[in-house]
Amino acid sequence: MKTYINKIIPICTAVVLFSCDKAKEPDNVYEEVTEYNIYPDYKGVTIPKNIAPLTFDASSSSSVAVVKSKDNKWVIECREGRFRPSKSLWREITDTAAGDSLTITLYEEDSKGWKRYAPLSIYVSEDRIDPYLVYRKLAPGYTLWNCMGIYQRNVENYDEVPLMENKLNDNNCMNCHTFRLNDPKEMIFHQRKVHDGTYIKRNGKQEQLTFRMTNGEKVPSLTYMFWHPSGRYVAFSSNDTHQNYHSTDKNRIEVYDSASDIYVYDMNTKELFTSPLLKNDGNFQTYPAFSPDGKSLYYCSAEAKQMPEEYDKVKYNLLRLDFDPESKTFGNKPDTIYNAVVNDGSAKFPRISPDGKRLMYTVSSYGNFSIWHRDADLKTINLETMEEENTDAINSDDVDSYHSWDSSSRWVVIASRRENGLYTQPYIAHVDERGNYGKPFLLPQSSTVKYKESLISYNLPEFIKEKVR
Amino acid sequence: MTYYLNHLIRNERWDDLIRYHAKHERYSAYNNICLNYALAKKGELGNKMFCFYQQGLSGLIPQADKKYLTNMQLSDIFIATGCPNVAESYLLEELTTARRYSNPRVLKNLIRISEMKGEFDLANKYLDIMSKAPMYADWSKKEKAEMNSGKVITYNVDSLLSTTGIESLFKNSIEIGNRTAWEYLGASYLLGKENDRFCSFIKEETPSSYLANLPTHFQEALLIFCGENNIPEGVDINADIKNRYKKFRELFEKKDMSTIYRDYKDTYWNYAINTSLR
């Protein structure tokens, strides 16, 4: 009986407390506030209707938020100035407002009465986003690592579960997780140091890949990879990568290749094959990416330079080469998509939207490891018109680098250092059919201070259509 | 002992740290690095370092070994000598391996570095984290209030460390007026008994405003490296040092090493003749 009462009392207390928690829109407003900041900055962003509740800090004291859609209104109490709607209420709001804007008006109370903040607007897109985002979390050290893991985050709520943590594999380094066409059933990643190798998880089975060269040469160490849409091939680059400190530059370190080539791996024969255009001494080739139709291989190529002395003279072109998956042959001449000399810049990370209409890539003034380049920005080419789109809305004054499309081609995730210049965070941006880009929003977290208090980076974000099982 | 020294450095008790070493004839390289750092922080490295036991370059700048105390020493020295990127590299490695990715002393140094580089958003992030630690809450508040008042350092030259080295790093800092870097570089030549490099350091790397009043040990070194009649232009050797050097030479010619050791223990001359480099 005692146990029963012990359980009942807290439940009843909670019911009473929450019943009393019905907030009302304040009416005795004595001041209008037009200039204010919220953290994270969700003012004017476009969000998918299935995104987790946005949470943000608005003020230091208790306040009330009035959320309005075209036909509805919700009043939410913000304890300690934190906007944290419940998941069910948020879902009701976004379902109601989908395809339209909603406004959030904040009220803050002090001894004189209520202050009203100018309404902030958020557009709720009907375009759904892939429900899972996979990223690696690690501290931004240069040569050492400690705890590290690849995690999958449900973007419809706040659940984050590890796919692989290095406490399970002798504190090993793991990287470059990649999926075929946003499909969680097919994933590849590398492990370094101990248990080193390239591992594939496919239809529930996991194995270490074995490689041999078609010409019998020594198998190179493989780095960046990209699936062919058929699932039969994976393109790899092999990079002789080095790292060095800048003595005084704003870019802290320089990661550069002193050689790099591209190979394609045939899952059926376990063989790597290449082309003289993808493997030659005169150029550095890296960051391969297949088009969604599987008939083109995009990659970056720069004239080889004396490294590290000429590190800032290496500028990568973005090229496209025909690929015939049936005969495993490449075209004879690549098309130049981005000309490094003409544009006086360096392209990397080509990523084609799954609908095949857009090619997004990163540009900085030189080099290929843009997460350490503060001038790195994202560019997009419309592949139907071959014209560059205006991506100003998604770029910032700091690093905007690795990016990945969701399967609908309407959302893109960006690894950006815009908040503080060092810790990489995942920002999500909307891209409409005509190539209009929305202001990116920071992946919502249950706690409004999660990013502020975190000393880790979110690395290599990749959307997937379902949970990895 | 190591942690006691670390405590003194953390609390910037330079006089206590120097006093502690005055009582000891011999100590470890770690002690030596702490002592020299304390002297540098007081602006006395070139004046007093040879008043204490010195054991060569290993007692000035530690070899990186990825250990916490070494990383902290390296970051302290490189902050003092105006090399924020290098200092930060040791701290980020330290933060990576620290429990729960955090350590107040590491964060404190990272805040200093971010301020030096004008990265105030990053400094604020670290300060917000520090403000949650009860022992650092007040410090964080004070630091935040003063943050934008510090001078942001801007450099004229950048290079990759693999293509240069510490020497050129210090030279960059000297160029923008960092006297500690200048003293550290000069001290490194003295400890390494690099006669020619020290002389050209005085002639080529030393700002003209420093020449008339060089630190005591730098003057002592010039007397034996260049000779009394070949002192670089603009350098003014103190009369007391000249007189002392005359007596030292007489004793040295008489091979009276015990008197030299007794009476000239606080000079570079004693180090130069009595310390063998390992």
Side-chain angles (χ1 to χ4, degrees):
Chain A
M1 183 53 135
K2 196 177 172 186
T3 321
Y4 179 71
I5 289 170
N6 284 348
K7 280 181 186 166
I8 284 294
I9 289 173
I11 293 169
C12 292
T13 312
V15 168
V16 171
L17 281 175
F18 283 102
S19 316
C20 298
D21 199 22
K22 193 85 179 159
K24 282 191 224 155
E25 182 170 5
D27 46 15
N28 54 337
V29 172
Y30 77 92
E31 189 184 341
E32 302 282 347
V33 181
T34 50
E35 298 284 319
Y36 66 99
N37 294 319
I38 59 169
Y39 178 83
D41 177 15
Y42 290 133
K43 287 181 182 173
V45 297
T46 299
I47 57 168
K49 61 186 255 185
N50 60 326
I51 196 73
L54 301 188
T55 63
F56 58 83
D57 278 350
S59 61
S60 53
S61 56
S62 291
S63 54
V64 164
V66 177
V67 181
K68 283 183 188 162
S69 70
K70 200 173 167 190
D71 303 315
N72 289 66
K73 183 168 94 172
W74 300 265
V75 183
I76 300 167
E77 188 180 346
C78 304
R79 290 196 181 131
E80 295 175 336
R82 287 184 174 151
F83 180 80
R84 290 182 67 195
S86 69
K87 287 174 199 164
S88 56
L89 178 61
W90 179 253
R91 196 55 64 230
E92 183 188 321
I93 293 170
T94 51
D95 283 348
T96 311
D100 204 346
S101 287
L102 56 82
T103 61
I104 302 175
T105 308
L106 297 155
Y107 295 80
E108 186 185 3
E109 190 176 28
D110 61 21
S111 56
K112 288 191 241 167
W114 289 91
K115 286 192 278 190
R116 179 165 51 208
Y117 289 63
L120 65 94
S121 173
I122 292 171
Y123 185 80
V124 183
S125 169
E126 301 235 40
D127 296 327
R128 295 181 73 85
I129 195 168
D130 282 348
Y132 285 89
L133 188 64
V134 177
Y135 41 71
R136 181 172 67 151
K137 290 203 295 187
L138 77 170
Y142 295 170
T143 60
L144 299 178
W145 68 86
N146 185 17
C147 301
M148 176 193 294
I150 299 172
Y151 298 83
Q152 59 179 337
R153 160 72 196 268
N154 186 335
V155 302
E156 295 181 336
N157 53 46
Y158 306 116
D159 295 347
E160 181 194 78
V161 292
L163 283 182
M164 179 83 176
E165 284 180 320
N166 69 345
K167 63 186 175 192
L168 300 172
N169 64 1
D170 302 325
N171 265 43
N172 207 0
C173 176
M174 58 187 80
N175 50 35
C176 295
H177 53 273
T178 179
F179 299 89
R180 183 180 73 84
L181 298 174
N182 308 89
D183 184 351
K185 294 188 196 75
E186 291 173 286
M187 172 191 179
I188 293 184
F189 70 99
H190 294 306
Q191 285 197 139
R192 307 287 184 200
K193 290 280 174 194
V194 286
H195 319 297
D196 63 321
T198 304
Y199 293 80
I200 181 168
K201 192 168 192 280
R202 205 172 196 190
N203 299 321
K205 288 181 189 161
Q206 201 165 305
E207 64 171 311
Q208 184 174 358
L209 291 181
T210 55
F211 302 92
R212 67 172 177 268
M213 294 288 293
T214 43
N215 57 9
E217 281 179 10
K218 189 178 170 234
V219 175
S221 66
L222 302 170
T223 316
Y224 309 113
M225 52 202 167
F226 198 98
W227 283 89
H228 189 267
S230 68
R232 181 177 168 184
Y233 305 107
V234 179
F236 285 96
S237 64
S238 169
N239 306 62
D240 182 12
T241 303
H242 302 266
Q243 180 175 281
N244 226 302
Y245 306 115
H246 280 280
S247 60
T248 57
D249 198 63
K250 266 170 56 177
N251 295 331
R252 293 169 166 82
I253 59 172
E254 200 57 50
V255 180
Y256 56 88
D257 294 337
S258 49
S260 64
D261 298 304
I262 289 173
Y263 301 86
V264 174
Y265 179 66
D266 185 340
M267 294 272 188
N268 294 349
T269 63
K270 314 268 184 212
E271 284 180 331
L272 289 163
F273 58 97
T274 186
S275 141
L277 289 169
L278 301 173
K279 181 184 184 301
N280 58 69
D281 292 338
N283 294 288
F284 300 152
Q285 287 83 206
T286 190
Y287 297 131
F290 285 112
S291 58
D293 65 5
K295 293 176 182 168
S296 300
L297 178 71
Y298 289 84
Y299 63 103
C300 300
S301 175
E303 188 186 331
K305 300 279 180 194
Q306 183 68 36
M307 301 300 277
E309 291 78 8
E310 295 182 289
Y311 74 92
D312 55 353
K313 294 188 175 58
V314 180
K315 294 178 191 257
Y316 287 82
N317 299 293
L318 176 48
L319 307 177
R320 189 200 68 81
L321 191 61
D322 288 335
F323 176 62
D324 180 357
E326 295 302 317
S327 62
K328 302 202 305 197
T329 53
F330 298 95
N332 296 323
K333 193 169 180 268
D335 296 330
T336 302
I337 308 294
Y338 175 89
N339 187 315
V341 175
V342 171
N343 293 287
D344 193 23
S346 184
K348 39 247 153 185
F349 300 126
R351 291 289 183 270
I352 299 96
S353 57
D355 62 10
K357 291 182 179 167
R358 300 197 156 77
L359 163 60
M360 186 174 275
Y361 58 104
T362 309
V363 172
S364 63
S365 54
Y366 66 86
N368 74 27
F369 211 79
S370 45
I371 200 67
W372 291 107
H373 285 194
R374 301 206 113 146
D375 63 343
D377 274 336
L378 297 162
K379 304 261 181 204
T380 306
I381 287 171
N382 180 323
L383 292 174
E384 289 167 344
T385 62
M386 292 310 285
E387 280 177 9
E388 194 179 309
E389 294 177 337
N390 185 343
T391 49
D392 290 351
I394 57 172
N395 288 312
S396 69
D397 292 340
D398 220 300
V399 182
D400 298 295
S401 180
Y402 190 81
H403 48 277
S404 154
W405 292 93
D406 94 321
S407 62
S408 71
S409 302
R410 292 282 75 85
W411 300 96
V412 65
V413 61
I414 305 160
S416 177
R417 290 184 165 175
R418 64 187 64 191
E419 189 173 308
N420 53 56
L422 179 59
Y423 295 89
T424 316
Q425 297 167 336
Y427 282 77
I428 298 168
H430 183 252
V431 188
D432 75 12
E433 188 71 35
R434 287 171 296 169
N436 298 311
Y437 293 78
K439 176 180 168 183
F441 65 92
L442 191 53
L443 175 68
Q445 301 287 356
S446 163
S447 163
T448 55
V449 292
K450 178 151 184 172
Y451 293 109
K452 272 191 175 173
E453 292 181 349
S454 161
L455 292 172
I456 55 151
S457 278
Y458 291 73
N459 189 238
L460 221 74
E462 292 274 349
F463 280 116
I464 45 174
K465 290 183 281 195
E466 294 166 40
K467 191 175 183 177
V468 177
R469 293 177 200 281
Chain B
M1 178 45 54
T2 305
Y3 287 95
Y4 173 61
L5 295 178
N6 203 22
H7 168 76
L8 294 180
I9 290 178
R10 200 169 63 231
N11 292 290
E12 303 186 359
R13 287 167 55 188
W14 313 124
D15 291 329
D16 289 341
L17 206 149
I18 293 164
R19 249 194 311 273
Y20 171 82
H21 288 89
K23 292 184 220 153
H24 292 81
E25 284 283 314
R26 285 266 197 275
Y27 32 73
S28 69
Y30 180 82
N31 283 56
N32 208 166
I33 293 161
C34 293
L35 166 68
N36 286 333
Y37 177 66
L39 289 169
K41 290 299 283 185
K42 298 269 295 176
E44 297 280 20
L45 185 65
N47 280 326
K48 296 200 172 148
M49 63 186 288
F50 293 104
C51 301
F52 301 85
Y53 166 64
Q54 293 291 338
Q55 53 197 288
L57 278 170
S58 62
L60 186 69
I61 299 173
Q63 286 285 319
D65 60 6
K66 299 185 178 177
K67 288 183 180 155
Y68 169 70
L69 290 172
T70 313
N71 281 341
M72 291 315 300
Q73 280 186 323
L74 284 163
S75 74
D76 283 340
I77 292 168
F78 284 116
I79 289 172
T81 52
C83 311
N85 278 8
V86 186
E88 191 181 37
S89 72
Y90 294 108
L91 295 168
L92 289 179
E93 299 290 51
E94 198 48 54
L95 210 56
T96 302
T97 51
R99 275 190 196 171
R100 292 188 291 277
Y101 299 126
S102 196
N103 172 315
R105 196 170 160 209
V106 173
L107 288 180
K108 237 175 146 174
N109 274 5
L110 283 170
I111 289 163
R112 285 192 188 124
I113 290 166
S114 305
E115 288 174 7
M116 281 167 83
K117 293 166 76 174
E119 297 187 341
F120 298 118
D121 289 338
L122 187 57
N124 263 318
K125 177 185 177 72
Y126 293 135
L127 281 167
D128 285 342
I129 293 170
M130 289 282 273
S131 68
K132 302 271 162 56
M135 303 299 285
Y136 292 91
D138 290 342
W139 178 86
S140 309
K141 203 184 281 178
K142 193 167 160 259
E143 193 72 15
K144 211 165 194 174
E146 293 169 359
M147 189 156 68
N148 295 322
S149 59
K151 195 176 170 231
V152 175
I153 301 174
T154 44
Y155 295 86
N156 306 324
V157 190
D158 175 61
S159 51
L160 287 187
L161 274 190
S162 67
T163 54
T164 56
I166 285 179
E167 197 176 358
S168 74
L169 270 183
F170 285 169
K171 285 179 184 173
N172 287 345
S173 296
I174 293 167
E175 206 173 282
I176 56 156
N178 186 308
R179 187 173 166 108
T180 309
W182 175 77
E183 290 210 29
Y184 258 93
L185 186 56
S188 74
Y189 294 138
L190 296 190
L191 288 167
K193 299 186 188 177
E194 297 188 70
N195 311 10
D196 295 342
R197 289 171 94 178
F198 182 77
C199 291
S200 61
F201 158 76
I202 294 293
K203 284 178 200 158
E204 290 157 25
E205 308 296 339
T206 300
S208 53
S209 59
Y210 296 178
L211 288 174
N213 195 18
L214 288 179
T216 306
H217 298 311
F218 288 13
Q219 294 184 45
E220 291 168 354
L222 283 177
L223 285 170
I224 52 171
F225 290 164
C226 305
E228 277 177 276
N229 301 324
N230 287 313
I231 298 297
E233 201 179 326
V235 173
D236 190 10
I237 304 285
N238 181 289
D240 289 344
I241 296 173
K242 275 186 193 165
N243 289 337
R244 228 179 149 202
Y245 180 61
K246 202 177 282 175
K247 287 174 194 160
F248 166 81
R249 281 196 64 167
E250 287 164 14
L251 290 167
F252 185 69
E253 277 157 19
K254 283 193 266 175
K255 295 198 167 92
D256 185 356
M257 302 313 276
S258 59
T259 309
I260 287 178
Y261 186 71
R262 191 191 64 213
D263 295 345
Y264 293 87
K265 224 164 58 166
D266 59 346
T267 65
Y268 180 63
W269 309 318
N270 176 57
Y271 175 85
I273 59 168
N274 283 326
T275 305
S276 60
L277 297 179
R278 274 172 287 177

